[in-house]
Amino acid sequence: MTTTWTDGDPAAYLDAVPSAVRRRDAHTLLDLMERVTGQAPRMFGPSIIGFGEYHYEYPTGRSGDAPATGFSPRRPASTVYLADGVGAHTELLEQLGPHTTGVGCLYLKNLEQVDLAVLEQILRRSWATVTSGTFGQRARES
């Protein structure tokens, strides 16, 4: 099943997050991403809050649309989605503070322990890359 945009209310979703830390961090990420993107938040599937949209096309012919950036307040950590891959942000990630990563995901357990100015730089760079036209690179290729 493909994840798509829904009519869900991001604010209501965030208000229902059980963990006080995740809920606090989610509201911080919401404000930060709205400022960086200039876009209103939208629900992408049942648990991802997305901002903007980009179209991707891979050499295999697979294509689709996805949020240009977004996050989800998951139980173990807040997940920030970087479509251009975490590898594109190695130098900044070294300055961020406590985090872990996946190929295109940045996992943050407590935003009070990270440098929000560095996180904003990462989000701005990722947003600029992903929204500059048809973005065809996979996150693992960064």
Side-chain angles (χ1 to χ4, degrees), residues 53-141:
E53 184 175 272
Y54 78 101
H55 183 75
Y56 60 87
E57 292 181 19
Y58 297 138
T60 61
R62 183 176 177 197
S63 67
D65 299 297
T69 194
F71 72 94
S72 183
R74 306 280 185 198
R75 186 172 313 205
S78 296
T79 303
V80 175
Y81 298 99
L82 301 171
D84 59 338
V86 296
H89 308 282
T90 304
E91 309 84 34
L92 287 171
L93 288 171
E94 290 172 3
Q95 302 168 38
L96 181 62
H99 69 278
T100 56
T101 60
V103 174
C105 298
L106 175 59
Y107 304 107
L108 303 167
K109 290 189 180 221
N110 187 340
L111 288 185
E112 288 185 344
Q113 297 177 350
V114 302
D115 187 329
L116 291 179
V118 172
L119 180 57
E120 183 168 344
Q121 288 179 54
I122 293 168
L123 292 171
R124 285 189 185 284
R125 278 182 31 179
S126 180
W127 174 260
T129 299
V130 174
T131 61
S132 64
T134 300
F135 181 72
Q137 179 177 315
R138 291 177 183 238
R140 67 179 142 207
E141 296 167 352

Side-chain angles (χ1 to χ4, degrees), residues 9 11 15 21 24 32 38 51 64 69 73 78-79 131:
D9 178 3
D15 288 342
V21 171
R24 178 203 67 209
L32 179 60
F51 297 82
T69 194
S78 296
T79 303
T131 61

